[in-house]
Amino acid sequence: MSLQSQVRSKMLRHSTLDTLSPGNMCLGGHRGMGENLLTLGGCSTKAIVPAVRENTIGSFQAAAQMGCSFVEFDVQVTKDGHAVIWHDDKIVLGNGMGCTSCEVKDLTLVEFKNIVPRSRAVSDIDNMSLGGHSDDFDTASVQSSASFTSSGVLMRTFKDADSLAKMESPEPWMCDEDHNLPTLRELFEGLPAGLGFNVEVKMTTGENVERTSDEELNRVVNGMMREVDTYCPVGTNQDRPLVFSSFDPDIVSLLSQRLAVRYPVFFLSGCGIYKHVDPRRTSIDSAIAHAVSSNLAGVVVPVSKVQQFPGLVADARSKNLGVMTYGHENSDPDAILFQQELGVLAAIIDSVASVIPGLRKYMYSDEPKKFISLEDELQVAAV
């Protein structure tokens, strides 16, 4: 049985969705219940949705309770070598006078952990909106990381919840259901053992830098693998399903070498949606070629590319690669069903609170079902 099949089997055993969709698809919560977006309510009232902070234990627990078989999250490594859960390239803080920013690698673990409690403690600028673009924030203006973490509340230049267009200026990032920013260790210790982890190794190398330095690659991988080796020791049969991925092609190659046959590693690609000087990142063909050359388990691609070029799934599978998808199009239950028919391994979804009830409604309707049996799919994947 392939690594993809082993992990999928474990994930489906955990999920309540195996009774809903007895085919091969696994559903994973993107950063838990979904990426935090900003929406305008009545009378121009702004609200962050989903209400729970992304990439936190509270969000992951909620996704698991909804029926997700795994959660996807982003791992970065602090200045003192601790693996923490954070998505954005920069951490932005504002105080009504302007914003400052730095990266996770500029902070110690203690400084990183102080960010959200600090944000919750400041209530006098709840309605603050700052002008300017987040790309204009000067990291060099941060004199020290210690002074940075006391310089204001957490901010984000959100995407609009309706259009998904990125807004022009940052807004306070304080969620109705707020939780502390966790470490990878806290996730291993605090989440159900059967809940799958899709660990995205997040690198902040810019689009104009073709290759991440070997020093940075090893710093990040070593910091993360200390926790993986502690909680999933080599030679033990841990029940936690783990999948690793990254947009950085050199990270996934290094992970494939380090993890050998322990866990599947997937190349995460925008397939040309995002600009980058590294040609390995900019097309479907190059993503599949890199996955094959690096002996990876598969690729993670935008669901929009699968909808546009459905044959890519069969092409990848013919090369013994699994396909996972991401993107807000996965908020449509019909898109999930379409992918299942194609043989997509897993879909990473944002609108967990609406997608899963939508699938339940479909499964209990009188419409014809076209799902493949799990046993049939595992036999195909094992060939």
Side-chain angles (χ1 to χ4, degrees):
M1 183 182 291
S2 66
L3 278 176
Q4 300 101 302
S5 298
Q6 293 175 42
V7 171
R8 174 174 48 207
S9 180
K10 284 185 177 181
M11 286 180 176
L12 288 175
R13 285 207 310 270
H14 168 82
S15 175
T16 61
L17 285 178
D18 57 341
T19 60
L20 298 174
S21 54
N24 64 316
M25 283 281 287
C26 296
L27 297 185
H30 184 214
R31 308 180 204 171
M33 289 294 287
E35 174 186 2
N36 286 146
L37 305 171
L38 193 66
T39 184
L40 293 178
C43 301
S44 298
T45 301
K46 298 172 182 176
I48 293 174
V49 292
V52 60
R53 181 176 293 281
E54 69 180 42
N55 269 337
T56 60
I57 288 179
S59 189
F60 299 138
Q61 288 174 332
Q65 290 166 2
M66 286 292 297
C68 287
S69 53
F70 70 98
V71 289
E72 183 273 353
F73 53 82
D74 309 274
V75 170
Q76 299 191 44
V77 175
T78 63
K79 180 168 62 176
D80 49 350
H82 294 275
V84 298
I85 314 305
W86 178 262
H87 171 269
D88 295 2
D89 287 351
K90 293 181 180 181
I91 300 170
V92 179
L93 298 183
N95 58 11
M97 302 294 291
C99 289
T100 54
S101 69
C102 75
E103 297 184 12
V104 168
K105 64 185 177 184
D106 299 319
L107 301 177
T108 66
L109 175 61
V110 171
E111 291 160 352
F112 175 81
K113 294 288 283 184
N114 280 338
I115 290 170
V116 167
R118 169 73 183 173
S119 296
R120 289 203 303 269
V122 179
S123 59
D124 59 339
I125 55 175
D126 284 356
N127 297 317
M128 175 178 65
S129 179
L130 301 178
H133 295 269
S134 57
D135 292 342
D136 297 331
F137 301 148
D138 184 7
T139 303
S141 68
V142 182
Q143 299 301 315
S144 71
S145 54
S147 63
F148 169 75
T149 55
S150 61
S151 62
V153 299
L154 187 62
M155 309 287 291
R156 175 184 250 183
T157 304
F158 289 95
K159 294 177 187 174
D160 179 85
D162 295 320
S163 68
L164 299 178
K166 197 165 187 178
M167 296 183 171
E168 291 187 355
S169 59
E171 301 281 348
W173 191 0
M174 290 179 282
C175 301
D176 288 343
E177 297 178 37
D178 226 335
H179 299 270
N180 291 330
L181 304 179
T183 63
L184 181 56
R185 173 174 295 190
E186 289 171 327
L187 266 56
F188 275 117
E189 293 179 345
L191 294 175
L195 178 65
F197 287 176
N198 175 188
V199 183
E200 180 188 336
V201 185
K202 180 77 175 182
M203 306 300 291
T204 57
T205 310
E207 65 183 30
N208 295 319
V209 179
E210 185 169 0
R211 300 291 179 98
T212 306
S213 70
D214 289 344
E215 179 182 9
E216 181 65 4
L217 292 173
N218 284 292
R219 185 190 76 84
V220 171
V221 170
N222 289 340
M224 180 187 67
M225 289 306 299
R226 274 195 294 272
E227 305 299 349
V228 174
D229 290 339
T230 296
Y231 290 93
C232 303
V234 177
T236 60
N237 184 22
Q238 297 293 319
D239 193 47
R240 172 86 64 194
L242 292 178
V243 174
F244 294 84
S245 64
S246 180
F247 280 104
D248 191 307
D250 295 315
I251 276 284
V252 292
S253 296
L254 180 58
L255 283 171
S256 181
Q257 296 168 16
R258 290 280 297 270
L259 292 170
V261 296
R262 291 172 62 191
Y263 299 109
V265 180
F266 283 67
F267 183 29
L268 181 54
S269 175
C271 299
I273 291 178
Y274 315 118
K275 294 181 180 179
H276 206 282
V277 296
D278 186 345
R280 296 174 296 176
R281 303 186 187 218
T282 57
S283 72
I284 295 169
D285 290 342
S286 60
I288 290 176
H290 183 68
V292 171
S293 65
S294 297
N295 196 31
L296 304 182
V299 292
V300 189
V301 300
V303 63
S304 61
K305 292 296 182 181
V306 172
Q307 292 170 325
Q308 186 178 5
F309 305 107
L312 79 85
V313 178
D315 182 30
R317 285 165 62 96
S318 73
K319 297 175 174 62
N320 200 31
L321 298 175
V323 176
M324 298 169 60
T325 66
Y326 68 94
H328 285 273
E329 294 87 348
N330 275 337
S331 297
D332 180 0
D334 287 337
I336 302 296
L337 300 173
F338 171 71
Q339 293 172 73
Q340 177 149 308
E341 292 184 356
L342 294 176
V344 170
L345 174 70
I348 300 166
I349 59 177
D350 275 279
S351 300
V352 174
S354 61
V355 172
I356 291 179
L359 288 173
R360 285 195 171 98
K361 181 178 179 181
Y362 172 85
M363 290 303 298
Y364 291 116
S365 74
D366 293 330
E367 297 178 26
K369 310 300 187 296
K370 298 181 180 179
F371 292 108
I372 309 166
S373 72
L374 179 58
E375 291 76 13
D376 289 345
E377 177 56 32
L378 291 179
Q379 288 175 8
V380 171
V383 173

